[in-house]
């Protein structure tokens, strides 16, 4: 008999509800297939075959009703076998949209399950800018075939998008946009828009160009609607539009979109010719990816790991920083080993020293989080870094004196030694000072060497505050108490 799947937690969002239902259907399907194997085979159990068929139909309806982005989320959240089961149920005309939405690691596994004709069929549904996102994951023969099937303008757009690095504006710009001339009346523009019947998504403004395709201004749609149709475009358009160039950094561009509340913006070349546009949906993706990358980098992880990846792939992704952590832990243990005699004479030191190291690591991670955020938002200059360092030192000293004093009094009360309490306060203050210095210097140093300021920062600050905290506390105790 089949057992019911019980869920301990109620889904908190509709998307989690869809994921729970899909997972439940997949589990039921697995159970039915296992039962069929224990009987005379699937054909020997008509009831089981009927239940399996119904289960498949329910799962198909669930997938068909979901938005491609929601299907992508579910694929990211499923283990490999369930992921492929769901992927095989996705209708072919939705493959392209879903491939664009899934994570890089999951996309790689889905493409590996597809043959060349299936990949071609999915890719043909995409625009040039979307194809550029997938091109590096596609087989060379598929990319070549796609190029052959495109007309000349699309082929040129794809080459243009593929020529830029992933972190440049040119790699994510959109080629679908509406351009108008400045020497026409608004009424003509309105008739032109009605003739098009459909406009590109995220269109909040029209781009005004001259005969040489040089951008001369933008015409927001709301201005088009509220002005007299007899007025000329040149009288209404904005000439001081925010523009971007294809070689600019996407992270900085995303910050500009947030700062100026942009929905779309033109991309121009060195001669101010219009070559594409940026849209808010692409910028949201950039912001999310930057946030994910920063979170993973602090722990020394790469972005491209599938949460259900094989043990070997996960091991390769993580071993470097674990090895570094092992070395730093060994150093911390040797620091403790230097003071074995002191610990033997005053056992209280063994109970108190983790407090000093732990508080230092916590404080250092707070400082690093703030510094990395400021660097990501472009809020920190060299002069600002010096001032920030002075501020963090001040905060560390005050925190050390206040909370070090508190734990010092606790140590005094527990062990009846005022001197031990004073050493505890001094060690806490000095370790928090070390944490503040390293919390500023580690990300700034990484930035100076063109490295990700968040890369392994959490691992490094913890190692320094552990070793430093043990050395400071045990060293002071040896000098003044032993």
């Amino acid at each position: 008999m089949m057992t019911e799947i019980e869920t301990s937690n109620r889904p908190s969002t509709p998307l989690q509800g869809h994921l729970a239902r899909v997972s439940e259907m997949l589990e039921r399907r697995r159970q039915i297939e296992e039962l069929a194997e224990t009987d005379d085979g699937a054909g020997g159990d008509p009831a089981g075959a009927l239940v399996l068929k119904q289960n498949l139909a329910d799962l198909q309806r669930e997938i068909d009703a979901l938005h491609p982005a929601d299907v992508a989320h579910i694929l990211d959240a499923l283990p490999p076998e369930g992921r492929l089961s769901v992927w095989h149920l996705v209708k072919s005309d939705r493959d392209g949209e879903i491939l664009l939405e899934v994570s890089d690691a999951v996309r790689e596994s889905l493409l590996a399950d597809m043959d060349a004709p299936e990949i071609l069929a999915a890719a043909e549904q995409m625009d040039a800018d979307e194809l550029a996102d997938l091109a590096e994951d596609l087989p060379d023969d598929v990319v070549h075939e796609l190029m052959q099937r495109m007309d000349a303008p699309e082929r040129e757009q794809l080459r243009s998008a593929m020529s830029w690095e992933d972190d440049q504006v040119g790699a994510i710009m959109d080629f679908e946009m509406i351009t108008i001339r400045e020497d026409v009346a608004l009424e003509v523009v309105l008739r032109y828009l009605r003739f098009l019947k459909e406009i590109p998504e995220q269109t909040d403004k029209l781009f005004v160009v001259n005969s040489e395709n040089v951008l001369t201004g933008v015409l927001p749609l709301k201005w088009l609607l509220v002005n007299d149709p007899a007025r000329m475009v040149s009288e209404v358009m904005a000439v001081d539009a925010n523009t971007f160039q294809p070689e600019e950094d996407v992270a900085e561009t995303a910050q500009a979109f947030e700062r100026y509340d942009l929905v779309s913006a033109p991309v121009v070349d060195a001669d101010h010719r219009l070559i594409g546009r940026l849209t808010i949906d692409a910028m949201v993706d950039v912001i999310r990816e930057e946030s994910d990358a920063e979170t993973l980098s602090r722990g020394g992880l790469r972005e491209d790991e599938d949460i259900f990846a094989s043990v070997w792939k996960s091991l390769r992704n993580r071993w470097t920083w674990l090895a570094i952590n092992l070395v730093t832990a060994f150093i911390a243990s040797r620091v403790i080993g230097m003071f074995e005699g002191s610990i033997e004479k005053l056992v209280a030191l063994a109970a108190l020293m983790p407090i000093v190291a732990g508080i230092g690591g916590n404080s250092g991670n707070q400082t690093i989080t703030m510094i990395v955020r400021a660097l990501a938002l472009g809020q920190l200059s060299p002069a600002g870094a010096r001032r920030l360092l002075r501020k963090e030192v001040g905060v560390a000293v005050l925190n050390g004196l206040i909370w070090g004093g508190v734990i010092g009094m606790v140590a005094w009360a527990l062990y009846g030694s005022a001197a031990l309490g004073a050493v505890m306060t001094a060690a806490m203050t000095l370790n928090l000072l070390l944490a503040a210095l390293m919390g500023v210097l580690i990300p700034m140093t990484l930035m100076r060497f063109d490295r990700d300021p968040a890369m392994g920062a959490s691992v490094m600050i913890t190692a320094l505050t552990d070793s430093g905290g043990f050395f400071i506390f045990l060293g002071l105790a040896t000098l003044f108490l032993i």
Side-chain angles (χ1 to χ4, degrees), residues 347-407:
V347 179
L349 299 180
L352 295 173
M353 66 182 183
I355 299 175
V356 177
I359 295 297
N362 191 307
S363 177
N365 275 304
Q366 289 177 342
T367 302
I368 276 184
T369 299
M370 184 181 63
I371 298 296
V372 169
R373 180 180 180 275
L375 289 171
L377 295 176
Q379 298 174 342
L380 195 57
S381 63
R386 288 191 290 271
R387 181 172 180 176
L388 186 59
L389 180 59
R390 289 196 296 270
K391 187 208 82 170
E392 288 299 312
V393 167
V395 170
V397 170
L398 287 175
N399 271 331
L401 292 175
I402 294 170
W403 297 109
V406 170
I407 195 63

Side-chain angles (χ1 to χ4, degrees), residues 70-78 83 86-87 90 98 102 106 110:
D70 293 338
V71 177
H73 176 85
I74 288 173
L75 290 171
D76 282 336
L78 290 174
R83 181 184 300 156
V86 171
W87 179 239
V90 172
I98 294 171
V102 295
V106 172
L110 297 181

Side-chain angles (χ1 to χ4, degrees), residues 289-302:
E289 289 169 3
E290 289 287 318
S291 175
D292 291 346
E294 179 184 319
T295 301
L296 293 172
S297 292
R298 281 204 296 268
L301 296 173
R302 294 196 304 268

Side-chain angles (χ1 to χ4, degrees), residues 68 90-98 121-122 125:
V90 172
K91 294 180 178 177
S92 59
D93 59 352
R94 306 177 76 200
D95 286 352
E97 293 178 280
I98 294 171
Q125 305 164 21

Side-chain angles (χ1 to χ4, degrees), residues 455-477:
M455 178 56 74
S458 178
V459 176
M460 287 187 279
I461 194 69
T462 301
L464 288 169
T465 53
D466 280 356
S467 299
F470 293 148
F471 182 81
I472 292 168
F473 178 60
L474 295 175
L476 289 176

Side-chain angles (χ1 to χ4, degrees), residues 4 137 188 201-202 226 246 270 304 325 335 386 420-421 451 461:
E4 291 295 325
D137 298 324
V188 175
E201 294 182 0
Q202 312 300 335
V226 300
D304 55 354
N325 206 4
V335 170
R386 288 191 290 271
L420 178 60
R451 303 298 299 274
I461 194 69

